[in-house]
Amino acid sequence: MIPVRPETDRLIGELLTRYPQQGTALLPALYAIQDELGHITPESMAYVAGKFGVSEAFVAGVVSFYTMFHRKPVGKHHIQVCRTLSCALRGAGEILRHLESRLGIKEGGRTPDGRYSLIAVECLGACDTAPMCQVNDKEHGLLDPKKADELIRSLG
Amino acid sequence: MAYEPLLTRNMKRPHSESIEVYVSAGGYEGLRRVLKEFKPEAFVEEVKASGLRGRGGAGFSTGMKWGFLPKSKDKPRYLAVNADESEPGTFKDRLLIEKDPHLVLEGIIASAYAIECHTAFFYIRGEFHAGARIFQKAVDEAHAKGFLGKNILGSGFDLDVLLYRGAGAYICGEETALLESLEGKRGLPRIKPPFPALVGLYGCPTIINNVETLANVTLIAEQGAASYAGIGRPPKNTGPKLYCVSGHVKRPGVYEAPLGLPLLELINDRAGGMLRPDRPLKAVVPGGSSMRVLPAAKCDVLMDFDSLMAAGTMLGSAGVIVMDSSTCMVGALLNLARFYAHESCGQCTPCREGTGWFVKVLDRLERGEGRKEDPDLLVDVANRVEGNTICPFGEAIAWPVQSYVKTFREEFDEHATGRACPMQAAAAATTKAT
Ligand SMILES: Cc1cc2nc3c(=O)[nH]c(=O)nc-3n(C[C@H](O)[C@H](O)[C@H](O)COP(=O)(O)O)c2cc1C
Ligand code: SF4
Ligand code: FES
């Protein structure tokens, strides 16, 4: 039993031939798995190791190196608040604390209903909109506590 | 004479990211000229003559770097475009990618032609979701119009550009870590030499260039080296530059000007001046978080490679982080130390252990549990990191530590007397993000 849908399996097969060398396809393959499953499960790591002919330990090493690969489920809305200097100077700390109390979770946590997860991340290359956050793949800048509340409400 | 922007010239047009808008404004004419009028080696010479220096951080001559490729062509050559943009305070490449991807792509094609490479990778940081979509669309459009693929514009030159998404790791902006990541591995920097121009991606000769560097190649392709070399402060600081301003200013943003723009003009005119009239300028990081800090009294400098070097710091990525009088410099450095501790790849003991020590000592200084010897301890550890690591990440944290402590010694000593941060009230909300 493979842990992904046939479409994903086919996509990974296609990725294996897309680049001058097969190894290059590993990050795209992990993205494909995460797109389907929401995070990289132990079974999917074993599966992808088999596909690439590398050890599970090698795959686990790669997965754990990159912060965008999740080894446990994140919320439906994965809220990533930038904590680095330019954002901090413009109040990122306040935004993070406000979101913690508003969502009732600590940084690094997920709400019990699986709706939201909250995490502090490093500079997202959008310091001109500080303080800012990224929710899944969308950026939201120039935050203040009121705007952060509106953002949460709009996410539903 | 008013300066006409070059790198941002298209950005005000609606749909500036589309190939139609780009071509209607004369786009891809530079590439046409290069393919028609230059042999590859001749265009390498042209870029050398332009004086272009890399915009990714180190400021190395682009043409010279290309010249390091081996003469023999028995192995394929690769171009890896560095679109990892993760240096805190930097957001210029994002603007180019999102607002004028074809300006970048045209430079990529002309550069690949010059170095005789047929596969280029566009390594974009994973968090740039919109940027990746926009750039992939640009690549597809360029294919459809014959600017990419086989026999580009009838020249016989072939090129494919493969977009590759990173997955969240600052260190992958370091060129050899980027190559490891492109090979599907952990992004651990390689020991140099050998340099990537000889042994790079898949063991083949590889050139790594920054996004903004390649956008500048488009300008050279269009107007020629002689005209380009007249922009900025020739002979060694030529061309236009994108400056990123963030922190305590009224209008944070990306501003274009020739190399050599006065820093105070950038802050006070372009970026609208200080955020609050009651809080004057205290310090500026001129080139991204890895560069040495300038106190307000030393901010009367020009923003170019050599002027900032003379001022004891570097242009780096031109990420200008402005801090006003409310900023606690211990807290600011702690914020950065946490960044570097998190991002160290862990290969070298001085870097891995040193970054941990910085966080520990700075954190206790902020909390009022510091010791009298802590400021010296910080510098001592930084001195042991500097020069003793595989990649320049070691310097990227050692330099800030050394310079913050040296420049703001009194503030560090005050923290070391055993009382918590004296600026707590003003600073707590700003510098303690986690
Ligand atoms: C820790 C570290 C991070 C770096 N991050 C980036 C980056 O995000 N983008 C970039 O273009 N260069 C970055 N660089 C510089 C690259 O190693 C390389 O010098 C550059 O991409 C070369 O391009 P250029 O000659 O066009 O400037 C980084 C270097 C180090 C040591
Ligand atoms: S200096 Fe730091 S980031 Fe660079 S290779 Fe060594 S441990 Fe890794
Ligand atoms: S510091 Fe937050 S986006 Fe750069």
Side-chain angles (χ1 to χ4, degrees):
Chain A
M1 258 285 283
I2 57 168
V4 292
R5 283 197 297 260
E7 305 89 274
T8 307
D9 184 56
R10 230 175 295 125
L11 171 61
I12 291 173
E14 192 260 308
L15 286 170
L16 282 167
T17 62
R18 186 180 290 181
Y19 303 101
Q21 288 194 10
Q22 175 179 305
T24 298
L26 183 56
L27 268 59
L30 291 169
Y31 269 128
I33 290 169
Q34 183 158 292
D35 283 347
E36 182 191 325
L37 303 177
H39 70 289
I40 312 278
T41 58
E43 298 76 42
S44 65
M45 281 194 245
Y47 152 79
V48 87
K51 278 271 181 192
F52 280 76
V54 296
S55 69
E56 283 177 48
F58 178 84
V59 175
V62 170
V63 170
S64 64
F65 187 83
Y66 297 97
T67 56
M68 288 179 68
F69 294 134
H70 311 306
R71 281 167 289 165
K72 54 183 201 272
V74 296
K76 178 168 167 244
H77 305 294
H78 186 47
I79 306 168
Q80 304 146 81
V81 180
C82 174
R83 63 155 294 278
T84 318
L85 188 55
S86 300
C87 282
L89 292 168
R90 299 294 293 251
E94 191 189 358
I95 300 300
L96 193 59
R97 281 187 295 276
H98 182 79
L99 286 171
E100 282 182 334
S101 75
R102 156 98 204 206
L103 298 171
I105 50 176
K106 286 266 156 229
E107 189 270 330
R110 190 168 69 117
T111 55
D113 61 3
R115 280 260 269 274
Y116 308 100
S117 47
L118 179 66
I119 185 171
V121 297
E122 303 295 352
C123 180
L124 288 166
C127 326
D128 48 345
T129 65
M132 60 82 63
C133 73
Q134 195 171 52
V135 182
N136 300 342
D137 62 359
K138 268 218 172 63
E139 278 122 24
H140 305 271
L142 305 174
L143 296 174
D144 55 33
K146 198 166 141 259
K147 274 203 184 152
D149 282 340
E150 281 162 21
L151 172 61
I152 299 296
R153 230 174 290 131
S154 74
L155 294 174
Chain B
M1 194 177 66
Y3 170 72
E4 280 292 322
L6 295 163
L7 294 166
T8 54
R9 63 191 176 196
N10 293 326
M11 292 184 187
K12 286 217 177 71
R13 299 167 192 266
H15 302 291
S16 61
E17 77 289 351
S18 76
I19 197 161
E20 285 79 18
V21 172
Y22 186 71
V23 168
S24 73
Y28 287 108
E29 286 309 314
L31 175 66
R32 213 180 284 278
R33 191 175 86 90
V34 169
L35 294 177
K36 216 158 99 197
E37 297 175 17
F38 289 84
K39 292 238 178 313
E41 331 59 277
F43 192 59
V44 174
E45 291 309 315
E46 184 78 354
V47 170
K48 269 187 203 163
S50 75
L52 173 61
R53 294 168 68 173
R55 306 303 200 227
F60 193 80
S61 156
T62 304
M64 240 157 79
K65 190 195 296 199
W66 294 357
F68 293 153
L69 285 166
K71 293 281 159 287
S72 88
K73 313 246 164 76
D74 53 342
K75 283 184 181 169
R77 294 165 167 198
Y78 294 102
L79 172 64
V81 183
N82 195 338
D84 195 54
E85 190 159 75
S86 312
E87 171 85 355
T90 314
F91 39 94
K92 61 189 179 63
D93 298 339
R94 171 205 282 272
L95 184 78
L96 286 167
I97 295 163
E98 291 184 359
K99 296 283 186 225
D100 204 355
H102 287 287
L103 185 76
V104 180
L105 190 52
E106 185 175 354
I108 293 172
I109 303 166
S111 303
Y113 172 75
I115 64 173
E116 298 178 77
C117 131
H118 304 290
T119 308
F121 284 90
F122 190 82
Y123 187 98
I124 183 167
R125 70 177 291 186
E127 294 89 342
F128 281 0
H129 297 273
R133 280 192 294 270
I134 292 167
F135 197 81
Q136 183 60 55
K137 181 161 171 273
V139 167
D140 296 341
E141 289 172 334
H143 256 286
K145 292 243 194 269
F147 299 124
L148 274 178
K150 293 256 175 279
N151 190 19
I152 295 171
L153 299 175
S155 64
F157 173 63
D158 307 335
L159 177 69
D160 279 314
V161 175
L162 301 172
L163 181 129
Y164 198 79
R165 291 180 59 215
Y170 166 67
I171 193 58
C172 290
E174 192 281 330
E175 55 187 21
T176 60
L178 186 152
L179 298 178
E180 289 286 302
S181 183
L182 264 181
E183 292 180 1
K185 303 178 196 151
R186 301 158 68 98
L188 305 181
R190 299 174 181 170
I191 294 175
K192 292 191 274 194
F195 289 92
L198 297 178
V199 184
L201 185 65
Y202 312 133
C204 299
T206 304
I207 293 294
I208 298 105
N209 274 131
N210 170 261
V211 165
E212 187 188 353
T213 307
L214 293 161
N216 274 276
V217 171
T218 305
L219 306 180
I220 298 164
E222 281 172 354
Q223 56 180 270
S227 151
Y228 179 94
I231 304 167
R233 292 207 325 125
K236 288 182 137 173
N237 295 273
T238 60
K241 183 76 195 87
L242 298 179
Y243 303 98
C244 322
V245 189
S246 65
H248 294 139
V249 291
K250 282 209 183 75
R251 288 196 302 269
V254 177
Y255 297 99
E256 175 177 351
L259 274 171
L261 177 72
L263 172 57
L264 291 175
E265 188 180 324
L266 178 63
I267 295 172
N268 294 328
D269 300 346
R270 308 296 293 272
M274 298 305 290
L275 185 62
R276 293 181 41 163
D278 56 328
R279 294 183 179 174
L281 181 66
K282 179 170 183 178
V284 176
V285 176
S289 63
S290 306
M291 297 307 152
R292 293 189 182 93
V293 67
L294 291 170
K298 290 198 177 160
C299 285
D300 192 6
V301 287
L302 302 183
M303 291 291 291
D304 63 53
F305 297 107
D306 296 328
S307 303
L308 284 166
M309 190 78 95
T313 182
M314 280 171 73
L315 180 63
S317 62
V320 178
I321 306 175
V322 179
M323 295 178 257
D324 71 19
S325 58
S326 72
T327 313
C328 165
M329 298 314 287
V330 178
L333 185 58
L334 171 59
N335 181 289
L336 293 182
R338 287 206 170 109
F339 169 82
Y340 288 96
H342 181 251
E343 301 296 337
S344 166
C345 85
Q347 276 193 106
C348 322
T349 310
C351 172
R352 185 185 62 242
E353 300 297 317
T355 50
W357 269 99
F358 296 141
V359 171
K360 193 176 147 148
V361 172
L362 288 162
D363 189 48
R364 78 182 178 216
L365 282 170
E366 266 301 85
R367 283 201 324 264
E369 290 159 25
R371 304 173 191 163
K372 199 162 79 350
E373 62 276 16
D374 278 349
D376 287 327
L377 177 62
L378 287 168
V379 174
D380 186 48
V381 175
N383 291 345
R384 286 162 203 263
V385 175
E386 185 183 12
N388 292 316
T389 57
I390 292 175
C391 88
F393 184 105
E395 282 74 54
I397 179 60
W399 290 344
V401 170
Q402 294 160 341
S403 74
Y404 282 61
V405 175
K406 185 165 164 244
T407 312
F408 298 97
R409 180 71 201 215
E410 275 174 27
E411 213 171 311
F412 280 79
D413 282 338
E414 221 178 324
H415 279 73
T417 54
R419 285 186 300 274
C421 174
M423 306 184 73
Q424 202 78 13
T430 56
T431 49
K432 291 192 170 173
T434 50

